[in-house]
């Protein structure tokens, strides 16, 4: 018998909403998949090539089918298939040993972003709460920009600025839109069509990127800059706007901390030009943007700081002609409403928080905040459907023993501080591929410090290969769950799991039972989904599990116009205003969004003589990080890793198209096929991320990155890497 059922594709791809997939099932097996319809008017069914490969994925011969116990040394590839009883016994025996010796929080549950379904993501956290374990947070990459935006606008970094951003569809309201370090044609493939529509309807599009990307080709103008110098460009634009009176003083006075005095900042003191003295804001008749000889405002300090970034100096730093910078400033200032779209190209740098603040400053200086067609946006997401995730993540009366960011977790594993992590259970991620930088060090001084490593996955990934125990997980067709973004969608089990695979929910339920906490996982997935939907919010009044099982997709917002943030001009900061000045950043010298050279990829670095090329590792159109890298339909399109290099740099090194190149720095060496490509700026090379290490001829690019992380950006600097290339 043939049936058709609906589920949802849910990897870390930024699609919003995630794409519905309809699957044809015959005799208990999926035989075809395609894009599923949405009930929401105006939302067309869509699917990208990765979503289309989900059928390959489901029945891939390499799917893990049983639990596997390591049979030889770690990483040796020797495995013994075992049953679930033994797997559970091994897990809890090792967990109990770690608890007895080091305490319950020495066992860390690191759940990454390979899936966004809530039970699947939350099962590890729930179990960690029940057993007092540590929750490993998936911060550390793509976190610098949200963190910088949090400093300014108060929106928590973990929301990726969704509440403050504008949807792509709002770009049709912009006269000008700047795509800054973002390549949405590739990274937001199913969502980028409104950008094309905006251009057709007259929005002028400008792309700022060292690479002439697929998105740059959509734009009216492409501005190429030296990688990592975006902050200097932003400060030069800010200087130009201020110097030429192209700023919205009312916005700055009424909605930002610009009038606050540095010597009375916490008390919101301002300089009142009518009274001629410093007074609290609520007592001021006319708060001034500039203070007096003795009382400096935030605006004064910011203006003085950016005055160093004249056009010639910015041109020298960024490699952009001064007249292009001047023209950009004039175009942006003259075109209200104007929008800026940020991407992760500016994120993977040591000072990415400052860069985000400097760019966001432009939107504030020009008064482009809280208006249709304006804004500085990181996300394309309107606020999510409100559900009570904590009803599942945080079982009543229990809480995890700790929560560590990826950087703090790395420290804890390596140094035992702030407390030792001795066992790790990794799910929904492949962090030992490209995510954790400095892979060689990961293999030599991270993994050996773990007494026991468990990985839950569908395939034997680079991370799973290092494990002591590998547990086979269910796919989107084999589990019941919900995916929550701008709409609510049901993910439903429609076929039996391949082999003995189990859903993350089922795996942690088994473990909880073995650890004496079985009653906390005794409900069905539907029971816990019902609890999450039971929330005191008028929009959710008629949303029940029964309705969701029946309708499969529910649009609770019923929004017709594109979302844009801060329409009420209310900012969740301490002052209730946009905050340019952050006294807490004083230890780092970044009370204001200063520019600093990249920590490694700078001509000022003595290493630059030996390694003069910047290694960029952007997202690929063929993978979501490392997910789908082993799908036959994807490999048919990009069979092997490629290094893209400019004709100038290729000539200097006698490298022809298709030649095998050696890419190296002091951390390692990689051999890879090269493609001579005019789209790449001289001085940089591009190897897109996510290929599995076994797919490289020799070495891999993940050993070339370093693991210096920024405490203020809460981020690793994956792009801030120097290399040299030669013929292999
Ligand atoms: S991977 Fe592709 S099909 Fe799946 S949700 Fe993302 S954009 Fe949609």
């Amino acid at each position: 018998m043939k049936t058709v059922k609906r589920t949802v594709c849910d990897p870390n791809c930024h699609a919003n909403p995630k794409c519905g997939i309809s699957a044809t099932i015959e005799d208990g097996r999926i035989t075809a998949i395609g894009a599923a319809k949405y009930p929401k008017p105006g939302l067309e069914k869509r699917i990208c090539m990765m979503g289309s490969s989900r059928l390959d994925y489901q029945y891939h011969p390499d799917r893990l089918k049983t639990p596997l116990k390591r049979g030889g040394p770690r990483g040796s590839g020797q495995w013994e298939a075992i049953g679930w009883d033994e797997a559970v016994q091994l897990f809890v025996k090792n967990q109990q040993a770690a608890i007895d010796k080091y305490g319950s929080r020495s066992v860390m549950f690191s759940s990454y972003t390979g899936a966004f379904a809530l039970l699947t993501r939350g099962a590890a956290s729930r179990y960690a709460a029940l057993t007092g374990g540590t929750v490993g947070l998936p911060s550390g990459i793509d976190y610098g920009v949200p963190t910088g935006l949090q400093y300014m606008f108060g929106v928590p970094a973990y929301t990726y600025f969704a509440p403050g951003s504008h949807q792509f569809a709002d770009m049709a309201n912009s006269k000008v839109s700047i795509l800054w370090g973002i390549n949405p044609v590739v990274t937001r493939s199913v969502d980028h069509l409104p950008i094309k529509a905006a251009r057709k309807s007259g929005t002028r599009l400008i792309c700022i990127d060292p690479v002439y990307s697929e998105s740059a080709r959509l734009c009216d103008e492409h501005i190429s800059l030296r990688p990592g110098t975006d902050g200097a460009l932003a400060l030069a634009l800010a200087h130009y706007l201020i110097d030429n009176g192209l700023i919205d003083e009312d916005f700055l006075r009424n909605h930002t901390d610009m009038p606050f005095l540095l010597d009375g900042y916490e008390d919101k003191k301002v300089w009142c030009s009518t009274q001629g003295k410093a007074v609290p804001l609520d007592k001021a008749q006319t708060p001034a943007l500039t203070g007096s000889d003795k009382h400096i405002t935030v605006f004064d300090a910011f203006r003085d700081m950016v005055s160093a970034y004249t056009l010639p100096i910015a041109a020298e730093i960024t490699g952009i002609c001064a007249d292009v910078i001047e023209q950009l400033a004039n175009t942006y200032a003259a075109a209200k409403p104007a929008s800026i779209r940020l991407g992760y190209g500016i994120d993977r740098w040591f000072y990415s928080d400052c860069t985000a603040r400097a760019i966001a400053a432009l939107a504030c200086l020009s008064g482009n905040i809280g208006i249709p067609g304006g804004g500085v946006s990181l996300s394309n997401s309107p606020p999510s459907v409100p559900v009570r995730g904590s009803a599942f993540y945080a079982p009543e009366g229990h809480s995890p023993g700790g929560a560590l960011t990826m950087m703090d977790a790395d420290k804890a594993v390596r140094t035992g501080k702030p407390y030792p992590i001795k066992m790790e259970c990794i799910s929904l991620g492949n962090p030992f591929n490209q995510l954790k930088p400095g892979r060689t060090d990961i293999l030599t001084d991270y993994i050996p410090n773990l007494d026991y490593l468990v990985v839950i996955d569908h395939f034997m990934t680079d991370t799973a290969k290092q494990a002591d125990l590998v547990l086979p997980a269910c796919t989107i067709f084999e589990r019941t769950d919900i995916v929550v973004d701008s709409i609510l969608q049901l993910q439903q089990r429609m076929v039996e799991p391949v082999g003995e695979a189990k859903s993350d929910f089922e795996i942690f339920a088994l473990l909880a039972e073995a650890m004496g906490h079985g009653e906390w996982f005794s409900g069905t997935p539907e029971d816990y989904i019902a609890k999450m939907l039971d929330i005191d919010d008028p929009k959710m009044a008629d949303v029940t599990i029964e309705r969701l099982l029946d309708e499969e997709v529910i649009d609770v917002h019923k929004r017709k116009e594109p979302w844009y943030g801060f329409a009420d001009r209310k900012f969740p900061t301490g002052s209730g205003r946009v905050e340019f000045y952050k006294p807490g950043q004083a230890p780092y010298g970044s009370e204001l969004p200063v520019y600093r050279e990249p920590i490694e990829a700078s001509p000022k670095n003595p290493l630059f003589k030996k390694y003069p090329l910047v290694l960029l590792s952007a997202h690929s159109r063929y993978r979501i990080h490392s997910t789908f890298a082993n799908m036959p339909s994807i490999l048919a399109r990009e069979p092997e890793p490629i290094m893209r290099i400019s004709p100038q740099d290729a000539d200097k090194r006698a490298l022809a198209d298709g030649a095998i190149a050696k890419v190296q720095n002091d951390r390692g060496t990689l051999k890879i096929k090269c493609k001579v490509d005019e789209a790449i700026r001289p001085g940089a090379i591009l190897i897109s991320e996510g290929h599995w290490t076994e797919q490289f001829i020799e070495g891999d690019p993940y050993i070339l990155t370093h693991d210096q992380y920024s405490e203020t950006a809460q981020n690793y600097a994956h792009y801030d890497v120097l290399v040299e290339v030669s013929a292999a």
Side-chain angles (χ1 to χ4, degrees), residues 433-454:
N433 183 261
Q434 86 288 350
L435 177 60
K436 280 184 191 267
R439 226 174 67 86
T440 306
D441 292 345
I442 291 288
L443 297 179
T444 56
D445 72 2
Y446 180 97
I447 295 169
N449 284 349
L450 292 169
D451 292 345
Y452 206 64
L453 174 61
V454 182

Side-chain angles (χ1 to χ4, degrees), residues 8-21 35 38 46-54 186-191 476 485 623-624 627-628:
V8 195
C9 185
D10 69 340
N12 184 8
C13 65
H14 288 277
N16 193 325
K18 296 283 187 212
C19 303
I21 290 188
Y38 298 88
R46 71 269 178 85
I47 189 167
C48 76
M49 70 178 104
M50 276 80 80
S52 301
S53 76
R54 286 278 187 187
V186 164
T187 58
R188 320 281 168 101
S189 63
V190 297
D191 280 344
I476 60 166
D485 45 35
R623 295 172 293 283
I624 308 295
T627 309
F628 305 107

Side-chain angles (χ1 to χ4, degrees), residues 19-186:
C19 303
I21 290 188
S22 93
T24 305
I25 302 143
E26 294 176 77
D27 300 326
R29 196 177 163 87
I30 301 169
T31 53
I33 61 167
K37 283 188 190 150
Y38 298 88
K40 185 178 162 75
L43 192 51
E44 299 298 327
K45 61 182 189 177
R46 71 269 178 85
I47 189 167
C48 76
M49 70 178 104
M50 276 80 80
S52 301
S53 76
R54 286 278 187 187
L55 186 53
D56 290 357
Y57 195 108
Q58 174 68 14
Y59 297 117
H60 196 295
D62 296 344
R63 271 284 304 273
L64 297 172
K65 297 182 183 71
T66 63
L68 297 171
K69 176 171 81 169
R70 178 163 63 85
R74 268 187 185 151
S76 65
Q78 296 168 48
W79 298 101
E80 185 188 329
I82 56 174
W84 275 103
D85 286 348
E86 186 180 350
V88 168
Q89 258 178 27
L90 276 172
F91 192 113
V92 299
K93 186 178 108 189
N94 281 282
Q95 183 177 5
Q96 196 56 56
I99 292 171
D100 292 345
K101 202 160 171 195
Y102 304 103
S104 63
R105 62 183 185 167
S106 68
V107 182
M108 181 165 69
F109 297 85
S110 306
S111 202
Y112 288 89
T113 53
F116 274 69
L118 290 193
L119 293 178
T120 303
R121 277 179 74 83
S125 299
R126 184 173 178 88
Y127 181 78
L130 293 172
T131 57
T134 291
V135 172
L137 304 170
S139 55
I141 184 167
D142 300 343
Y143 219 63
V145 170
T147 301
L149 295 173
Q150 175 175 345
Y151 291 143
M152 273 188 99
F153 296 97
V155 175
Y158 66 78
T159 66
Y160 290 87
F161 207 53
S165 295
H166 296 222
Q167 281 187 276
F168 284 146
D170 183 54
M171 286 166 68
N173 296 317
S174 309
K175 290 185 181 146
V176 162
S177 188
I178 301 176
L179 304 182
W180 201 321
I182 182 171
N183 185 10
V185 172
V186 164

